[in-house]
Amino acid sequence: MDYKKIIIEALGAREMAYAPYSKFKVGAAVLMENGKIFTGCNIENASYGATNCAERTAIFKAISEGSKEIKAIAIVGDVKNYTYPCGICRQVIAEFAKASAIVILAKNEDDYIVKKLEEILPGAFTSNDLDKASKKQ
Ligand code: THU
């Protein structure tokens, strides 16, 4: 898997970030099961709670265009620190990815760390839990 390619896509997406309130620009790129890459940026709102994170922008683009499963996601935020996905985005990633999916946290295309989804969201609540609950009754 070409991590650098996905990171470069995320860096490009960060350029499009709409972050006039936090000034914290984030870009993300998802590699899907069919080889397609979708990108996203954070999109803020004067009503702060209506803000959408970069990761969810990219994932919702991918799913709405017919892709099914996230194989890898790259996230670029702050240039000085690795930006981890927020809790809501981890949950959304888990909806469309296996526990072994790759999460790339990058400062730039030469400085990044690679994690598995299960490392950053252990004990994820998924559709399996709903199945178990409905079978108990
Ligand atoms: N943000 C993301 O886009 N992704 C994350 O995982 C962390 C937070 C955005 C949301 C908001 O626009 C800004 O960063 C500050 O929280």
Side-chain angles (χ1 to χ4, degrees):
M1 190 182 291
D2 188 348
Y3 296 149
K4 282 199 185 202
K5 186 176 181 209
I6 312 170
I7 294 166
I8 288 166
E9 293 280 349
L11 285 164
R14 190 174 63 185
E15 295 296 310
M16 310 305 287
Y18 176 74
Y21 307 107
S22 73
K23 317 270 191 225
F24 189 76
K25 295 185 171 188
V26 186
V30 280
L31 171 68
M32 305 303 288
E33 84 293 346
N34 51 16
K36 291 184 182 173
I37 293 177
F38 292 84
T39 61
C41 60
N42 54 332
I43 304 170
E44 298 189 343
N45 195 282
S47 175
Y48 296 172
T51 291
N52 206 56
C53 289
E55 297 91 321
R56 277 176 288 142
T57 303
I59 293 165
F60 294 158
K61 281 169 68 179
I63 299 302
S64 65
E65 297 286 332
S67 294
K68 302 289 181 209
E69 188 193 329
I70 299 167
K71 290 293 180 189
I73 181 166
I75 302 144
V76 291
D78 193 357
V79 288
K80 294 197 189 104
N81 300 291
Y82 301 112
T83 298
Y84 283 71
C86 79
I88 295 173
C89 288
R90 291 179 206 208
Q91 184 67 26
V92 173
I93 295 167
E95 186 71 25
F96 301 109
K98 295 196 175 98
S100 59
I102 300 293
V103 180
I104 307 159
L105 311 157
K107 295 179 191 172
N108 57 62
E109 70 261 43
D110 298 313
D111 186 351
Y112 59 89
I113 53 177
V114 179
K115 302 263 182 196
K116 288 191 172 150
L117 176 60
E118 63 199 347
E119 292 179 79
I120 65 163
L121 188 61
F125 181 84
T126 69
S127 60
N128 289 333
D129 299 291
L130 292 174
D131 290 346
K132 282 178 210 148
S134 63
K135 275 175 191 147
K136 263 187 201 162
Q137 289 158 11

